[in-house]
PDB file of all heavy atoms in Angstrom:
ATOM      1  N   THR A 988    -121.151  17.110-149.687  1.00 95.00           N
ATOM      2  CA  THR A 988    -121.539  16.224-150.802  1.00 95.00           C
ATOM      3  C   THR A 988    -120.818  14.900-150.709  1.00 95.00           C
ATOM      4  O   THR A 988    -119.799  14.641-151.438  1.00 95.00           O
ATOM      5  CB  THR A 988    -121.221  16.906-152.164  1.00 95.00           C
ATOM      6  OG1 THR A 988    -119.833  17.262-152.176  1.00 95.00           O
ATOM      7  CG2 THR A 988    -122.122  18.144-152.381  1.00 95.00           C
ATOM      8  N   PRO A 989    -121.261  14.026-149.844  1.00 96.00           N
ATOM      9  CA  PRO A 989    -120.507  12.814-149.590  1.00 96.00           C
ATOM     10  C   PRO A 989    -120.530  11.769-150.688  1.00 96.00           C
ATOM     11  O   PRO A 989    -119.623  10.970-150.846  1.00 96.00           O
ATOM     12  CB  PRO A 989    -121.111  12.265-148.322  1.00 96.00           C
ATOM     13  CG  PRO A 989    -122.460  12.852-148.290  1.00 96.00           C
ATOM     14  CD  PRO A 989    -122.399  14.164-148.939  1.00 96.00           C
ATOM     15  N   ALA A 990    -121.537  11.753-151.483  1.00 97.00           N
ATOM     16  CA  ALA A 990    -121.748  10.646-152.475  1.00 97.00           C
ATOM     17  C   ALA A 990    -120.487  10.403-153.369  1.00 97.00           C
ATOM     18  O   ALA A 990    -120.045   9.265-153.503  1.00 97.00           O
ATOM     19  CB  ALA A 990    -123.012  10.873-153.279  1.00 97.00           C
ATOM     20  N   PRO A 991    -119.961  11.436-154.047  1.00 96.00           N
ATOM     21  CA  PRO A 991    -118.808  11.138-154.971  1.00 96.00           C
ATOM     22  C   PRO A 991    -117.618  10.605-154.174  1.00 96.00           C
ATOM     23  O   PRO A 991    -116.860   9.773-154.701  1.00 96.00           O
ATOM     24  CB  PRO A 991    -118.530  12.466-155.660  1.00 96.00           C
ATOM     25  CG  PRO A 991    -119.313  13.495-154.926  1.00 96.00           C
ATOM     26  CD  PRO A 991    -120.382  12.816-154.121  1.00 96.00           C
ATOM     27  N   TYR A 992    -117.415  11.110-152.987  1.00 96.00           N
ATOM     28  CA  TYR A 992    -116.293  10.653-152.141  1.00 96.00           C
ATOM     29  C   TYR A 992    -116.485   9.200-151.746  1.00 96.00           C
ATOM     30  O   TYR A 992    -115.569   8.387-151.878  1.00 96.00           O
ATOM     31  CB  TYR A 992    -116.122  11.583-150.931  1.00 96.00           C
ATOM     32  CG  TYR A 992    -115.750  12.960-151.276  1.00 96.00           C
ATOM     33  CD1 TYR A 992    -116.689  13.888-151.553  1.00 96.00           C
ATOM     34  CD2 TYR A 992    -114.424  13.332-151.282  1.00 96.00           C
ATOM     35  CE1 TYR A 992    -116.342  15.258-151.882  1.00 96.00           C
ATOM     36  CE2 TYR A 992    -114.037  14.623-151.617  1.00 96.00           C
ATOM     37  CZ  TYR A 992    -114.989  15.567-151.898  1.00 96.00           C
ATOM     38  OH  TYR A 992    -114.632  16.836-152.229  1.00 96.00           O
ATOM     39  N   LEU A 993    -117.715   8.870-151.312  1.00 97.00           N
ATOM     40  CA  LEU A 993    -117.977   7.481-150.896  1.00 97.00           C
ATOM     41  C   LEU A 993    -117.863   6.512-152.042  1.00 97.00           C
ATOM     42  O   LEU A 993    -117.330   5.418-151.833  1.00 97.00           O
ATOM     43  CB  LEU A 993    -119.336   7.437-150.191  1.00 97.00           C
ATOM     44  CG  LEU A 993    -119.451   8.225-148.905  1.00 97.00           C
ATOM     45  CD1 LEU A 993    -120.861   8.185-148.365  1.00 97.00           C
ATOM     46  CD2 LEU A 993    -118.472   7.783-147.867  1.00 97.00           C
ATOM     47  N   ARG A 994    -118.327   6.923-153.219  1.00 96.00           N
ATOM     48  CA  ARG A 994    -118.155   6.080-154.389  1.00 96.00           C
ATOM     49  C   ARG A 994    -116.666   5.800-154.686  1.00 96.00           C
ATOM     50  O   ARG A 994    -116.310   4.670-154.990  1.00 96.00           O
ATOM     51  CB  ARG A 994    -118.829   6.697-155.615  1.00 96.00           C
ATOM     52  CG  ARG A 994    -120.332   6.495-155.679  1.00 96.00           C
ATOM     53  CD  ARG A 994    -120.884   6.859-157.051  1.00 96.00           C
ATOM     54  NE  ARG A 994    -120.667   8.257-157.420  1.00 96.00           N
ATOM     55  CZ  ARG A 994    -121.522   9.264-157.112  1.00 96.00           C
ATOM     56  NH1 ARG A 994    -122.588   9.074-156.395  1.00 96.00           N
ATOM     57  NH2 ARG A 994    -121.192  10.497-157.444  1.00 96.00           N
ATOM     58  N   ALA A 995    -115.891   6.849-154.611  1.00 96.00           N
ATOM     59  CA  ALA A 995    -114.486   6.662-154.841  1.00 96.00           C
ATOM     60  C   ALA A 995    -113.789   5.798-153.818  1.00 96.00           C
ATOM     61  O   ALA A 995    -112.959   4.946-154.143  1.00 96.00           O
ATOM     62  CB  ALA A 995    -113.756   8.040-154.868  1.00 96.00           C
ATOM     63  N   ILE A 996    -114.168   5.935-152.595  1.00 97.00           N
ATOM     64  CA  ILE A 996    -113.606   5.166-151.515  1.00 97.00           C
ATOM     65  C   ILE A 996    -114.010   3.677-151.649  1.00 97.00           C
ATOM     66  O   ILE A 996    -113.163   2.773-151.580  1.00 97.00           O
ATOM     67  CB  ILE A 996    -114.053   5.667-150.157  1.00 97.00           C
ATOM     68  CG1 ILE A 996    -113.384   7.068-149.893  1.00 97.00           C
ATOM     69  CG2 ILE A 996    -113.681   4.726-149.015  1.00 97.00           C
ATOM     70  CD1 ILE A 996    -113.986   7.861-148.696  1.00 97.00           C
ATOM     71  N   LEU A 997    -115.289   3.434-151.976  1.00 98.00           N
ATOM     72  CA  LEU A 997    -115.711   2.080-152.138  1.00 98.00           C
ATOM     73  C   LEU A 997    -115.068   1.410-153.397  1.00 98.00           C
ATOM     74  O   LEU A 997    -114.642   0.252-153.295  1.00 98.00           O
ATOM     75  CB  LEU A 997    -117.278   2.001-152.316  1.00 98.00           C
ATOM     76  CG  LEU A 997    -118.040   2.307-151.026  1.00 98.00           C
ATOM     77  CD1 LEU A 997    -119.516   2.421-151.304  1.00 98.00           C
ATOM     78  CD2 LEU A 997    -117.807   1.242-149.992  1.00 98.00           C
TER      79      LEU A 997
END
Side-chain angles (χ1 to χ4, degrees):
T988 54
Y992 294 87
L993 296 176
R994 280 193 299 272
I996 293 166
L997 289 172

